Amino acid sequence: MVSTGLLVLAVGQGWLGPDVGRGDGFCEAARDGFVKQPANTFSNLGFVVAGLLVAWRAGRADLLGDVLPRRGLATAYACVVVLLGPASAAMHATQAEAGGDLDMLSMYLVASFAAAYALMRWTGRGRSFFGTLFVALVGLCGLIGRYGGEVPVVEHAGNVAFAALLLAAVVLEVRLWQRGADGLRTDLRWGAGALGAILVAFGIWNVTKRAWCDPHSILQGHAVWHLLCAVSAYLLFRLWASERRPASTPSPADG
């Protein structure tokens, strides 16, 4: 909630800079008031709600399966998901350059988290490995995002990095389930729900940018993208929290 409060203060004080049209390609017309794109801004509350739900479960070891408790990463993921809300809202509320940078950074954080957590489990490594890889992936995304050319379909090179990391996470999660090392198994129905939600969101995001676009409507396709991505982020956490081993299988030491 601190990040949301800071966003409100930043928008009110103009700390993010002037309106340069950042994020104006998502159909909704900019208003003259405090918030430039109301629907695309306030729909980001979905991420805050999703992150708070993750945080609630993070405080209950009995709801975290057999891997998340010993890794101590559930709370960190809750913070990342909550941050998606105000970071994305910063762009849509102000259309400022700094707001757009915050939006991309939050996307890099969640995609890097998903890929690093999957690879950590695949390699059987511990938290130090996760932390190092997570920072490296976020940095790599930042470098890729500096490419200024337009990319077909996804528009921005940073979106390519975001999608590539999520795809890597999906492949690794399926391979982890197939391998079943140490008897561990996740409930792939949560993963299927997370993947389905973000694919539907991506379809809506593309179709409603231009084809079904009403710039002055309070119903915006990009707002639906935000809400479905929030659902996807929560369902991804539920996939991780479903990871369990048979009762007779000993727990390996954390590295």
Side-chain angles (χ1 to χ4, degrees), residues 154-213:
V154 297
E155 298 185 349
H156 188 275
N159 291 334
V160 176
F162 170 74
L165 287 180
L166 289 184
L167 178 60
V170 169
V171 172
L172 283 170
E173 290 294 345
V174 173
R175 295 290 293 128
L176 279 163
W177 185 88
Q178 291 174 334
R179 188 175 69 175
D182 300 319
L184 287 167
R185 278 288 191 273
T186 52
D187 186 343
L188 284 185
R189 290 176 296 181
W190 294 112
L195 180 60
I198 199 167
L199 288 176
V200 171
F202 179 69
I204 293 173
W205 176 69
N206 273 282
V207 169
T208 58
K209 278 189 296 184
R210 295 176 182 85
W212 295 346
C213 172

Side-chain angles (χ1 to χ4, degrees), residues 23 26-45 88-89 91-95 214-220 222-224 226-227:
F26 301 112
C27 179
E28 188 173 15
R31 272 65 166 182
D32 293 329
F34 183 71
V35 174
K36 300 296 184 183
Q37 298 178 9
N40 289 343
T41 297
F42 294 115
S43 57
N44 283 291
L45 287 172
S88 176
M91 179 179 72
H92 294 292
T94 67
Q95 296 191 152
D214 182 352
H216 299 284
S217 172
I218 61 171
L219 300 177
Q220 292 293 326
H222 195 66
V224 177
H226 289 152
L227 294 172

Side-chain angles (χ1 to χ4, degrees), residues 66-67 70-71 121 124-125 181-184 245-246 249-255:
D66 294 328
V67 177
R70 70 182 179 90
R71 301 299 185 188
R121 286 148 54 226
R125 306 291 290 277
D182 300 319
L184 287 167
R245 63 174 53 85
T249 303
S251 175
D254 187 18

Side-chain angles (χ1 to χ4, degrees), residues 67 81 129:
V67 177
V81 175
F129 175 82

Side-chain angles (χ1 to χ4, degrees), residues 79-129:
C79 293
V80 168
V81 175
V82 167
L83 183 61
L84 280 165
S88 176
M91 179 179 72
H92 294 292
T94 67
Q95 296 191 152
E97 192 67 33
D101 292 341
L102 284 172
D103 178 45
M104 293 307 303
L105 175 61
S106 68
M107 292 170 60
Y108 298 156
L109 290 174
V110 73
S112 296
F113 194 108
Y117 185 59
L119 191 57
M120 179 189 74
R121 286 148 54 226
W122 177 260
T123 59
R125 306 291 290 277
R127 286 169 291 185
S128 297
F129 175 82

